[in-house]
């Protein structure tokens, strides 16, 4: 890396310079002491029963936000806030690489702090000849580094200081906050958003704000203006941390962020390039409860090259675990339907992890009777179910269930028990429709999916959370389709391609591995069931 002119303390973590050819890099990694250290750390921590097998976990110590998810020269790269043990408390950019978004390989720390004290969250932009990282240096401001080698092992910082400083002078307050940045390119210029807030909400309360900058050389940036218009989806006391801004679908853009109050969110809308403004047309949540304890946290996102966006989140702990903490969710593929509503499904080659397949025969689910599925059990599994709720107002799936229900995690589906909504019209028709015509549109009710950890653990230190409850849009005769990923201390549930809810759980009992179904109030029907045990991605 370039040497900085400002006073600072070098990282105490070992740092290495690598060659610029893939073959030489691989040979150097095979003999690298940090790679051996990471491998030994993974072996030492693997025995923790709550450490996931197929969700990404830092090889040593803890992790925090994912950063700079990107696709470079045929490989996926995940960066994250890593904490080398010998430089405790200072954030470095950890680094892992994957061919399939599922099997990750550790690489050395990528970006090291110096004068900036810590390298906090940011994003990456892939160009033909290089990858650009922009991140928040906690003492200086937003900073830029670049890399062009095959495995993105060598990084050079741009300039000798923050490219967007924290402050100009004490008597000249800035009209923007300098915080987590993201970057893209349009024409001859680079654009960067700085995350943050403004104190001009109701009664001078904080509201989300993200500020736009422009540069021709990555080092000198001009402030333009607040970027987002017509945001009716974030709420008072939100902030706009960890922003990501990418095209999605046909002509739309998505803005992803993390609010320290309400968690992960997204805004959909139109990028008015002539004004350099993002005009919001829709929005929603990735968190349906607080991000702590045991909830989904911040996103990192990148285009998939086919009109979709791949996103991954870190998840917070719900209980202390020795030597490690926090994990990543499975990567999700975000796309839009024909009405420009957001769809979510698992991304990556998860099928390659499946083993010991079991399938269940269709069966009736009698009203008010729990059915324990014989032979279907485990704490590292994938379940795929299709259920016809029929007239049952509630259908529940219990996983990580002990034989006498001392511990279980409850996934509950409430058919058409959510908010009322009206059918959408295309924007051109909606703008010209009369109020009577709008009122005459068919009314629908959302369904709800809920995941409840109230009884997931009998350990006093394992913190449960209020049930995570999210809306799902299902037609009257549409069956419920669930893909459930259970991985030691995490449960992720995908629902009909619409929604995903995820939580951390910490069963104490060795026999908390069962699965059951129940229809409440009226009978339902299980149309199909497939179950797989899941291999570790680290073996």
């Amino acid at each position: 890396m370039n040497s900085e002119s400002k006073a600072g303390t070098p990282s105490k973590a070992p740092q290495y310079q690598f060659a610029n050819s893939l073959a030489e890099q691989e040979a150097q990694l095979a003999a690298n002491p940090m790679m051996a250290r990471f491998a030994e750390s993974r072996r030492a921590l693997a025995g923790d029963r709550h450490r996931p097998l197929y969700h990404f976990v830092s090889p040593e110590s803890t992790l925090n936000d994912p950063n700079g998810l990107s696709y470079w020269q045929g490989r996926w790269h995940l960066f994250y806030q890593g904490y080398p043990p010998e430089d405790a408390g200072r954030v470095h950019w950890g680094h892992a690489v994957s061919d399939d978004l599922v099997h990750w390989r550790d690489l050395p720390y990528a970006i090291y702090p110096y004068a900036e004290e810590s390298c906090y969250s940011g994003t990456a932009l892939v160009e033909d000849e290089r990858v650009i990282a922009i991140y928040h240096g906690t003492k200086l401001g937003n900073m830029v580094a670049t890399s062009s080698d095959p495995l993105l092992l060598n990084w050079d910082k741009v300039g000798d200081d923050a490219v967007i400083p924290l402050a100009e002078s004490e008597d000249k307050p800035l009209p923007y906050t300098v915080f987590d940045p993201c970057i893209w390119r349009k024409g001859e210029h680079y654009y960067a958003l700085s995350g943050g807030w403004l104190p001009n909400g109701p009664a001078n309360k904080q509201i989300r704000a993200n500020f736009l900058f422009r540069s021709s050389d990555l080092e000198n940036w001009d402030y333009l203006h607040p970027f987002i218009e017509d945001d009716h989806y974030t709420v008072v006391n939100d902030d706009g941390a960890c922003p990501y801004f990418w095209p999605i679908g046909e002509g739309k853009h998505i803005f992803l962020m993390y609010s320290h109050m309400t968690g992960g969110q997204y805004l959909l809308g139109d990028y008015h390039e002539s004004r350099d403004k993002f005009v919001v047309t829709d929005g929603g949540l990735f968190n349906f409860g607080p991000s702590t304890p045991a909830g989904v946290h911040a996103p990192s996102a990148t285009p998939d090259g086919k009109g979709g966006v791949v996103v991954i989140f870190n998840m917070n702990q719900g209980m202390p675990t020795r030597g490690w903490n926090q994990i990543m969710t499975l990567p999700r593929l975000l796309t839009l339907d024909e009405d420009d509503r957001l769809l979510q499904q698992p991304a990556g080659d998860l099928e390659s992890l499946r083993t010991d397949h079991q399938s269940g025969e269709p069966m009736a689910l009698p009203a008010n009777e729990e059915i324990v599925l014989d032979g279907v059990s485990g704490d590292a599994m994938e379940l795929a179910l299709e259920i016809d709720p029929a007239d049952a107002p509630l259908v529940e799936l219990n996983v990580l269930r002990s034989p006498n229900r001392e511990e279980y995690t409850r996934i509950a589906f409430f058919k058409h028990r959510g908010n009322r909504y009206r059918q959408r019209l295309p924007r051109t028709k909606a703008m010209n429709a009369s109020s009577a015509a709008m009122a005459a549109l068919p009314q629908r009710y959302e369904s709800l999916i809920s995941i409840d950890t109230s009884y997931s653990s009998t350990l006093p230190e394992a913190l449960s959370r209020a049930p995570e409850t999210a809306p799902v849009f299902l037609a009257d005769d549409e069956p419920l389709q669930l893909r459930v990923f259970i991985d030691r201390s995490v449960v992720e549930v995908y629902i009909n391609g619409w929604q995903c809810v995820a939580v951390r759980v910490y069963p104490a009992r060795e026999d908390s591995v069962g699965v059951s179904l129940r229809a409440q109030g009226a009978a339902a029907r299980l149309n199909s069931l497939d179950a797989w045990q899941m291999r570790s991605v680290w073996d």
Side-chain angles (χ1 to χ4, degrees):
M1 294 193 181
N2 294 335
S3 61
E4 289 86 347
S5 61
K6 283 187 173 287
T9 304
S11 169
K12 297 176 183 177
Q15 188 171 357
Y16 308 92
Q17 188 70 26
F18 291 88
N20 287 316
S21 76
L22 181 60
E24 290 176 293
Q25 286 188 338
E26 292 290 7
Q28 289 173 315
L29 288 171
N32 184 271
M34 185 169 283
M35 295 298 92
R37 171 175 127 180
F38 284 172
E40 178 55 34
S41 176
R42 286 203 180 277
R43 283 191 290 271
L45 295 170
D48 190 323
R49 65 162 299 191
H50 293 125
R51 188 171 168 91
L53 297 182
Y54 60 94
H55 287 69
F56 183 83
V57 189
S58 174
E60 61 179 12
S61 186
T62 187
L63 56 76
N64 196 41
D65 300 352
N67 301 136
L69 182 67
S70 50
Y71 188 73
W72 166 253
Q73 295 188 358
R75 301 174 188 86
W76 296 94
H77 290 263
L78 171 66
F79 304 93
Y80 57 92
Q81 290 181 9
Y83 298 79
E86 60 268 81
D87 207 12
R90 294 184 79 187
V91 176
H92 300 52
W93 268 30
H95 188 190
V97 65
S98 175
D99 293 327
D100 61 2
L101 280 172
V102 171
H103 295 85
W104 294 98
R105 178 164 63 120
D106 295 316
L107 293 176
Y109 293 101
I111 302 179
Y112 287 63
Y114 184 65
E116 66 264 53
E117 186 176 282
S118 282
C119 303
Y120 268 60
S121 287
T123 68
L125 173 66
V126 176
E127 297 189 311
D128 290 340
E129 302 298 328
R130 64 180 178 178
V131 175
I132 301 166
I134 188 168
Y135 66 95
H136 185 63
T138 53
K139 274 193 173 180
L140 301 181
N142 291 345
M143 307 187 70
V144 170
T146 64
S147 179
S148 58
D149 63 77
L151 291 176
L152 302 181
L153 300 178
N154 305 309
W155 289 84
D156 294 309
K157 295 180 183 178
V158 173
D160 296 329
D161 202 347
V163 298
I164 303 175
L166 280 171
E168 295 181 4
S169 67
E170 292 183 1
D171 58 351
K172 186 181 179 183
L174 297 174
Y176 50 81
T177 52
V178 180
F179 200 46
D180 302 342
C182 75
I183 186 171
W184 70 92
R185 184 166 184 165
K186 177 168 69 77
E188 298 301 313
H189 288 92
Y190 296 97
Y191 289 79
L193 284 181
S194 185
W197 55 89
L198 282 171
N200 58 359
N204 296 319
K205 295 185 179 74
Q206 171 182 297
I207 56 173
R208 180 217 49 77
N210 293 86
F211 305 97
L212 186 64
F213 298 80
R214 182 172 60 194
S215 173
S216 59
D217 61 5
L218 294 177
E219 186 170 359
N220 301 286
W221 293 82
D222 297 319
Y223 172 60
L224 298 181
H225 47 241
F227 183 55
I228 297 176
E229 290 183 346
D230 294 348
D231 173 13
H232 301 286
Y233 293 90
T234 57
V235 297
V236 175
N237 289 324
D238 273 337
D239 59 5
C242 302
Y244 286 81
F245 183 68
W246 295 118
I248 189 171
E250 297 184 7
K252 306 295 285 188
H253 277 70
I254 187 169
F255 171 84
L256 304 98
M257 56 164 265
Y258 173 75
S259 164
H260 288 84
M261 184 180 75
T262 52
Q265 301 183 36
Y266 67 90
L267 301 172
L268 293 170
D270 303 308
Y271 183 16
H272 289 205
E273 296 189 17
S274 61
R275 297 190 300 123
D276 282 318
K277 287 281 191 176
F278 178 54
V279 180
V280 177
T281 58
D282 201 357
L285 303 174
F286 294 113
N287 285 71
F288 302 92
S291 54
T292 57
V296 172
H297 197 89
S300 185
T302 192
D304 73 342
K306 303 174 184 177
V309 170
V310 175
V311 61
I312 194 169
F313 302 82
N314 64 314
M315 293 189 72
N316 292 307
Q317 65 271 20
M319 186 183 80
T321 46
R322 186 175 181 181
W324 66 279
N325 229 320
Q326 294 209 48
I327 66 168
M328 298 295 177
T329 65
L330 298 176
R332 305 179 190 179
L333 176 62
L334 308 181
T335 56
L336 300 182
D337 74 354
E338 62 275 8
D339 293 323
D340 288 338
R341 288 192 293 203
L342 193 71
L343 304 176
Q344 301 184 59
Q345 58 183 312
D349 187 17
L350 289 160
E351 290 77 9
S352 66
L353 303 180
R354 292 171 173 172
T355 185
D356 298 334
H357 176 235
Q358 295 174 280
S359 59
E361 295 295 325
M363 61 182 292
L365 300 177
N368 309 319
E369 179 182 341
E370 185 180 18
I371 306 297
V372 178
L373 301 179
D374 291 336
V376 178
S377 64
D379 65 357
M381 301 177 66
E382 178 188 350
L383 299 172
L385 304 93
E386 181 177 288
I387 299 171
D388 178 5
D391 295 324
L394 164 65
V395 176
E396 69 177 40
L397 167 69
N398 297 300
V399 300
L400 298 174
R401 179 190 187 277
S402 62
N404 293 317
R405 282 176 64 94
E406 297 93 344
E407 294 181 329
Y408 61 94
T409 297
R410 177 177 179 259
I411 302 158
F413 174 73
F414 301 85
K415 184 177 178 180
H416 300 331
R417 291 300 184 272
N419 292 333
R420 184 175 66 178
Y421 67 97
R422 296 187 186 277
Q423 178 180 315
R424 293 186 177 203
L425 282 175
R427 274 173 290 166
T428 54
K429 291 184 179 180
M431 290 178 66
N432 297 320
S434 66
S435 57
M438 292 293 288
L441 288 172
Q443 296 184 21
R444 298 285 187 267
Y445 285 87
E446 299 168 343
S447 295
L448 298 174
I449 192 77
S450 181
I451 186 164
D452 185 357
T453 66
S454 301
Y455 301 97
S456 294
S457 180
T458 53
L459 295 172
E461 62 270 31
L463 301 177
S464 60
R465 52 190 283 121
E468 188 100 346
T469 302
V472 182
F473 297 93
L474 265 64
D476 291 340
D477 57 351
E478 185 177 359
L480 173 65
Q481 295 175 333
L482 300 177
R483 284 188 73 181
V484 182
F485 296 93
I486 304 160
D487 192 5
R488 299 287 181 86
S489 65
V490 59
V491 178
E492 289 191 71
V493 185
Y494 288 84
I495 309 96
N496 288 70
W498 277 109
Q499 193 59 272
C500 181
V501 291
V503 293
R504 300 289 304 279
V505 293
Y506 299 85
R509 298 173 57 99
E510 295 294 334
D511 58 359
S512 292
V513 293
V515 179
S516 72
L517 289 162
R518 180 185 179 99
Q520 188 69 19
R525 182 170 180 80
L526 176 66
N527 292 338
S528 64
L529 167 68
D530 291 280
W532 298 269
Q533 303 300 312
M534 299 292 268
R535 300 182 182 92
S536 169
V537 298
W538 308 111
D539 291 342

